[in-house]
Amino acid sequence: MAWDPGEALRRQPDLTYVRHNLPPGEKGRYFRSLHAIVVDSGLDQAGRRCALTHELIHAETRDDCIPSHWLTDKYEHDIDRQAAARLISLSALISALLWTHDPDELAEELHVDAATLHVRLAHLSRAERAAIAARLTEAFNQLP
């Protein structure tokens, strides 16, 4: 089953979700003391899905990411990798790659923002890369 951040949010009735204008460059925040997630209201649907997933991962571990500058880059990148893996399953990625290799079209097809797609692609495991290569080779060999 595909990851659905909206469904994950609904399974946490004690978690408050708010869309609000955030400072430029900030997509979302998790407030541990309030057990609340704020996602920037200026994001499109794909951006909201990605920001919400990222903040839900913070909420799962009750990480307080405000102000975010005190968190290490490594930790935030790890959260980004987890969010990208949840939002983009290997099977969905392979299906999208059979249709297009254009990054913008891939992101749109996968309902994610470009940054999340980039993170997912940059952190594919060897086994995932092999599975993608095998499926794309198979599809290529079936062409007339």
Side-chain angles (χ1 to χ4, degrees):
M1 183 168 96
W3 166 259
D4 179 355
E7 179 59 32
L9 183 62
R10 285 187 288 281
R11 288 193 310 264
Q12 298 188 52
D14 62 321
L15 182 61
T16 302
Y17 172 72
V18 177
R19 288 174 54 191
H20 188 71
N21 289 331
L22 291 175
E26 193 168 348
K27 296 178 181 180
R29 284 190 190 176
Y30 171 63
F31 294 86
R32 185 178 67 161
S33 61
L34 301 172
H35 199 47
I37 290 174
V38 178
V39 170
D40 185 61
S41 59
L43 295 173
D44 62 12
Q45 182 180 13
R48 287 192 307 271
R49 286 185 75 240
C50 296
L52 178 56
T53 298
H54 180 102
E55 300 309 326
L56 281 166
I57 294 169
H58 281 295
E60 287 173 5
T61 56
R62 301 283 179 147
D63 292 326
D64 195 350
C65 60
I66 53 169
S68 63
H69 66 273
W70 62 269
L71 290 173
T72 65
D73 286 342
K74 183 180 183 318
Y75 183 72
E76 282 298 310
H77 290 304
D78 183 54
I79 299 291
D80 287 341
R81 283 192 300 273
Q82 291 179 53
R86 286 185 190 188
L87 287 163
I88 306 170
S89 70
L90 181 59
S91 62
L93 179 58
I94 290 171
S95 293
L97 285 168
L98 289 169
W99 181 73
T100 184
H101 291 179
D102 179 87
D104 293 331
E105 289 179 342
L106 277 172
E108 184 177 346
E109 180 71 14
L110 295 164
H111 309 290
V112 297
D113 58 25
T116 300
L117 174 62
H118 176 77
V119 168
R120 181 68 170 111
L121 293 174
H123 296 284
L124 289 168
S125 69
R126 287 180 194 248
E128 289 173 323
R129 288 179 191 276
I132 291 168
R135 182 61 185 103
L136 294 179
T137 299
E138 176 187 333
F140 180 78
N141 289 336
Q142 291 175 355
L143 293 174

